[in-house]
Amino acid sequence: MAKDSYLVGLIGSGIGPSLSPALHQREADRQGLRYLYRLIDVDTLGVPPEAVGDLLRAARDLGFDGLNITHPCKQLVIEHLDALAPQAEALGAVNTVVFDDTGRATGHNTDVTGFAASFARGLPDAPLERIVQLGAGGAGAAVAHATLALGAGQVTVVDALPERAAALTAQLN
């Protein structure tokens, strides 16, 4: 049985200008759903990104149905979840948390499929022999995995933190 309304939100840093609330609410309207989408900005709250576990618990206690997770919390949130979907586990990053009827929090990652579908639709003839990947965080990991799934021959990963680039490269190999 579908619910009458859904309370959802976005946890991240510097998300005030995010288009996510309008985008999600507009699509919910198109689907005949009532969505209330709220921003939970760690900067506005004056808490560090490591407080994502406390924010997750608060959202669950306040009756949120789910959350989107963005920079810099996509990897930090994992240790606070009850379960991980296979793709989120493989990537080591979560961009969506769904609370079930018991309050159990499951982390998902839709970045790979979203990027792959957009790339295939928008750049169907782009050469994939050699790719330079800028960024090795949560979204960067998803994009690198997606480009390999699309048939990339070689992916070179560059990040402001060289050790993060090396870790992603090792994972991809």
Side-chain angles (χ1 to χ4, degrees):
M1 180 175 161
K3 295 173 59 166
D4 290 336
S5 64
Y6 296 87
L7 176 59
V8 294
L10 172 64
I11 295 177
S13 174
I15 56 174
S18 175
L19 300 177
S20 288
L23 175 125
H24 283 264
Q25 288 178 179
R26 186 172 47 250
E27 185 58 29
D29 289 344
R30 288 183 184 143
Q31 300 299 320
L33 302 172
R34 174 72 180 117
Y35 246 44
L36 185 57
Y37 197 101
R38 294 292 177 240
L39 296 179
I40 306 169
D41 192 320
V42 295
D43 298 340
T44 301
L45 294 171
V47 299
E50 291 76 15
V52 68
D54 294 331
L55 297 174
L56 181 78
R57 281 185 291 283
R60 179 185 355 221
D61 292 347
L62 290 169
F64 276 69
D65 295 291
L67 298 164
N68 292 126
I69 308 293
T70 193
H71 174 79
C73 301
K74 288 184 176 190
Q75 294 159 325
L76 296 171
V77 74
I78 291 174
E79 68 183 272
H80 304 285
L81 299 170
D82 299 307
L84 279 177
Q87 192 154 56
E89 187 170 10
L91 290 171
V94 166
N95 73 343
T96 303
V97 174
V98 176
F99 298 113
D100 68 16
D101 293 339
T102 67
R104 188 171 156 84
T106 301
H108 300 268
N109 193 305
T110 61
D111 287 335
V112 172
T113 53
F115 177 83
S118 294
F119 187 92
R121 185 175 51 251
L123 298 167
D125 299 322
L128 291 169
E129 292 81 29
R130 292 188 314 226
I131 304 292
V132 176
Q133 168 73 41
L134 301 177
V143 169
H145 278 269
T147 57
L148 288 173
L150 289 166
Q154 175 186 343
V155 177
T156 302
V157 180
V158 180
D159 192 270
L161 303 172
E163 64 276 6
R164 189 161 68 171
L168 177 56
T169 301
Q171 180 192 26
L172 295 170
N173 287 330

